[in-house]
């Protein structure tokens, strides 16, 4: 069977690419090995946010006295929480399947491999089929990375995939890795009563986040009872009665932790094996498949998008790259723009960022000016009882042009779009500050921070130096 475009992988990059190619009049094949929606829907973004919402509601219930409310005999049912998570995932997966069907896309469930630049071999439960395609888009995503530590194969050592299938909350858990996955799951499990310790090999938690936010998040973690140990390397994991013993080398010497579960959260790696990349002559390395700004690989007519490229492993990046690749596959001229990609960490409170951190700007020897505004001085945040956090804006010192925005606070994932739009369109802090923001809203924190770039912030106490 011949197709204009064949897409390998039905995640947020693959199914979006397939739909866009079909919208442009293409006859499209979509091959998915497991479930439509990929990691994001089935084992990542959606299930974790669903669990996080349950965790947040449980914590709010325990704080209800602060709002003049009383609740007695409260509790949670972890099995029911997991069942709700599964229901949400199944519902959204069904929606994607309907979207794909409505665009007349041919879907085959199986493992695809290139046996020639324009020829796919797909292994299904019923056998092997071959398909011809004028253009191919590879969107096979990523899987959790392992670590070269003795004992990592023990049953008590799990990845985020296994954690999402737990039926009861472990009494204790050690998380290896203080990146997005490790921090998010730490918040979720701690909310349900698990004693959590995070071990990070690098000198700081959340190494990709601006240092001002990291410092504040460190305080929040301690306040919530989550222990963190940065600059520590796990050297061995051993099975003991009731759990596992984790050994780690730290600046203070060797330390040991006995826990019920260990969560491996040391990043993700691109899925490149079994795709026939060498047969097709596609250039790739351990980080992923090499692509240009058109998302085209070293072989003309073959594209790669999302996590498999090793660039910006985010669902929304994959979806955008999927549109770019599909449009180019259908004869248009689209370019991928990485200049303003927001990134969010769904903790309590949330973290969101776009553009350069202060450390990155300094490393590039840019002359910058920054401004910060605390949520504690925002009326809406105070009324909500969610005052932890700040908004930080980084601009070019000479022009005021927006270079970065970093938010730690309630609804940071929604607020960051103002910074994304500003950076994408080369706006200045004055453009934000002079835009009227509604009151009382959390968005005023962004406006106030922008005011601080070129003048005084209104709702901030002015400190007077002693003579």
């Amino acid at each position: 069977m011949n197709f204009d475009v064949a897409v390998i992988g039905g995640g947020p990059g693959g199914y979006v690419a397939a739909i866009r190619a079909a919208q442009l009049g293409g006859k499209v094949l979509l091959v998915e090995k497991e479930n439509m929606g990929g990691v994001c829907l089935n084992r990542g973004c959606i299930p974790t946010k669903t669990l996080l919402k349950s965790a947040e509601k449980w914590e709010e219930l325990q704080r209800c006295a602060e709002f003049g409310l009383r609740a007695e005999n409260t509790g949670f049912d972890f099995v029911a929480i997991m069942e709700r998570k599964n229901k949400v995932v199944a519902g959204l997966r069904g929606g994607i399947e309907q979207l794909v069907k409505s665009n007349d896309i041919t879907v085959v469930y199986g493992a695809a491999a290139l046996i020639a630049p324009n020829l796919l071999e797909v292994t299904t439960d019923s056998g092997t089929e071959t398909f011809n395609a004028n253009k191919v888009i590879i969107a096979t995503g990523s899987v959790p990375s392992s670590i070269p530590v003795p004992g990592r194969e023990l049953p008590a050592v799990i990845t985020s995939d296994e954690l999402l299938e737990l039926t009861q909350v472990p009494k204790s858990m050690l998380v290896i890795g203080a990146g997005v996955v490790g921090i998010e799951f730490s918040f979720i499990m701690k909310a349900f009563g698990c004693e959590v310790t995070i071990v990070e090999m690098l000198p700081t938690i959340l190494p990709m986040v601006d240092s001002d936010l990291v410092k504040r998040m460190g305080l929040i973690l301690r306040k919530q009872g989550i222990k963190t140990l940065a600059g520590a390397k796990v050297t061995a994991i051993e099975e003991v009665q009731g759990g596992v013993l984790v050994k780690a080398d730290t600046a203070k010497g060797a330390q040991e932790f006995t826990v019920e579960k260990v969560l491996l959260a040391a990043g993700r790696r691109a899925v490149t094996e079994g795709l026939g990349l060498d047969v097709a002559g596609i250039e790739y390395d351990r980080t992923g498949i090499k692509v240009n700004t058109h998302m085209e690989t070293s072989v003309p007519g073959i594209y790669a998008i999302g996590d498999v490229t090793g660039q910006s492993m985010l669902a929304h990046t994959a979806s955008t790259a999927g549109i770019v690749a599909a449009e180019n596959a259908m004869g248009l001229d689209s370019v991928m723009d990485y200049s303003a990609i927001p990134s969010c960490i769904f903790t309590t409170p949330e973290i969101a960022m776009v553009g350069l951190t202060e450390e990155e700007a300094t490393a590039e020897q840019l002359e910058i000016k920054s401004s910060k505004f605390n949520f504690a001085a925002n009326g809406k945040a105070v009324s909500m009882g969610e005052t932890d956090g700040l908004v930080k804006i980084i601009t070019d010192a000479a022009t005021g042009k927006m270079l970065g925005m970093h938010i730690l606070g309630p609804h940071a994932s929604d607020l960051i779009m103002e910074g994304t739009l500003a950076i994408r369109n080369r706006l200045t802090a004055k453009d934000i500050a002079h835009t009227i923001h509604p009151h009382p809203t959390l968005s005023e924190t962004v406006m106030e921070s922008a005011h601080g770039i070129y003048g005084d912030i209104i709702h901030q106490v002015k400190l007077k130096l002693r003579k």
Side-chain angles (χ1 to χ4, degrees):
M1 194 177 295
N2 295 314
F3 292 89
D4 296 310
V5 179
V7 182
I8 306 174
Y15 85 77
V16 168
I19 290 174
R20 185 60 184 138
Q23 288 175 340
L24 293 171
K27 183 180 179 183
V28 182
L29 168 69
L30 177 58
V31 182
E32 167 54 45
K33 187 166 63 174
E34 295 177 4
N35 294 311
M36 203 66 71
V39 169
C40 176
L41 174 54
N42 297 285
R43 298 182 299 280
C45 322
I46 299 302
T48 55
K49 279 29 156 205
T50 307
L51 292 181
L52 182 63
K53 177 52 68 175
S54 293
E56 287 175 344
K57 287 188 175 295
W58 172 237
E59 289 185 322
E60 287 174 4
L61 191 60
Q62 295 175 87
R63 292 178 55 208
C64 68
E66 296 176 22
F67 298 85
L69 305 174
R70 289 194 299 271
E72 298 174 354
N73 301 318
T74 60
F76 66 84
D77 182 340
F78 195 69
V79 171
I81 288 170
M82 285 297 196
E83 287 175 351
R84 177 179 180 271
K85 179 261 298 180
N86 293 337
K87 185 177 179 180
V88 168
V89 169
L92 289 173
R93 187 191 304 139
I96 292 173
E97 290 169 349
Q98 186 59 40
L99 273 174
V100 170
K101 182 179 179 181
S102 71
N103 281 277
D104 296 322
I105 296 167
T106 300
V107 177
V108 176
Y109 286 93
L114 289 160
I115 54 177
N118 299 103
L119 191 62
L120 286 181
E121 183 177 82
V122 181
T123 303
T124 67
D125 291 339
S126 57
T128 300
E129 297 181 71
T130 58
F131 301 91
N132 288 294
N134 295 332
K135 304 291 174 64
V136 175
I137 300 174
I138 301 171
T140 48
S142 63
V143 292
S145 297
S146 186
I147 56 172
V149 172
R152 64 186 181 277
E153 73 289 342
L154 292 172
V157 181
I158 60 176
T159 68
S160 56
D161 291 356
E162 290 81 50
L163 189 148
L164 287 169
E165 300 304 320
L166 293 179
T167 55
Q168 63 182 25
V169 180
K171 292 183 174 64
S172 58
M173 183 171 70
L174 184 136
V175 179
I176 301 176
V180 175
V181 174
I183 293 290
E184 285 189 356
F185 275 114
S186 294
F187 270 87
I188 292 168
M189 301 312 291
K190 179 61 180 176
F192 293 124
C194 179
E195 289 300 315
V196 179
T197 300
I198 306 172
V199 175
E200 170 58 51
M201 186 170 65
L202 295 174
T204 178
I205 64 169
L206 297 171
M208 78 297 288
V209 177
D210 188 274
S211 61
D212 281 320
L213 273 65
V214 171
K215 292 172 187 174
R216 195 73 66 92
M217 178 52 77
L219 296 174
I220 292 169
L221 286 165
R222 284 196 290 275
K223 186 168 70 173
Q224 296 195 7
I226 297 173
K227 301 172 186 175
T228 60
L229 184 62
K233 183 180 180 181
V234 174
T235 56
I237 305 171
E238 299 173 1
E239 197 165 26
V240 296
Q241 187 173 1
V244 287
L245 176 70
V246 181
K247 298 180 180 180
D249 286 339
T250 75
K252 298 181 180 179
Q255 292 193 39
E256 296 183 349
F257 308 87
T258 300
V259 294
E260 186 177 335
K261 296 285 185 183
V262 172
L263 173 65
L264 295 180
R268 301 184 66 85
R269 64 174 182 82
V271 176
T272 56
E273 61 272 13
L275 296 176
L277 302 181
D278 293 320
V279 173
I282 298 171
E283 183 181 350
Y284 69 101
D285 59 21
R286 59 187 298 273
T287 62
I289 298 173
K290 301 300 178 184
V291 293
N292 58 24
T293 56
H294 295 278
M295 306 313 298
E296 194 169 31
T297 70
S298 58
V299 177
I302 300 181
Y303 303 82
I305 59 172
D307 288 9
V308 76
T309 68
Q311 301 180 56
S312 182
M313 289 187 171
L314 300 166
H316 44 279
T317 305
S319 295
T320 304
I323 293 171
V324 170
E327 290 179 348
N328 288 321
M330 291 302 297
L332 301 182
D333 185 17
S334 296
V335 174
M336 183 67 185
D337 182 3
Y338 290 96
S339 65
I341 297 177
S343 178
C344 306
I345 305 173
F346 293 90
T347 46
T348 306
E350 295 177 348
I351 293 175
M353 50 206 164
V354 64
L356 298 177
T357 64
E358 187 167 341
E359 292 73 27
E360 289 169 339
T362 300
E364 292 184 22
Q365 298 183 327
L366 300 176
E367 292 293 327
I368 63 169
K369 190 172 183 180
S370 65
S371 173
K372 292 175 282 188
F373 185 79
N374 292 312
F375 277 87
N378 174 262
K380 182 64 176 293
V382 173
S383 70
M384 293 166 59
E386 299 180 41
T387 56
D388 281 333
L390 74 157
V391 175
K392 179 176 181 179
I393 285 176
I394 299 168
T395 67
D396 178 84
T399 66
K401 188 180 77 171
M402 292 286 297
L403 298 177
M405 183 181 287
H406 307 273
I407 306 174
L408 167 63
H411 296 279
S413 60
D414 301 311
L415 297 174
I416 199 62
M417 273 313 301
E418 191 165 0
T420 306
L421 190 65
I423 293 172
R424 175 69 175 79
N425 292 282
R426 304 176 67 82
L427 303 181
T428 67
K430 189 168 289 189
D431 291 321
I432 292 177
H434 285 185
T435 299
I436 297 175
H437 289 62
H439 174 79
T441 65
L442 298 174
S443 69
E444 291 173 283
T445 60
V446 175
M447 178 189 69
E448 298 268 20
S449 185
H451 271 299
I453 290 293
Y454 66 93
D456 292 330
I457 295 174
I458 299 296
H459 292 93
Q460 183 167 282
V461 175
K462 197 168 184 178
L463 299 176
K464 295 182 179 180
L465 296 175
R466 292 180 179 179
K467 292 184 179 179

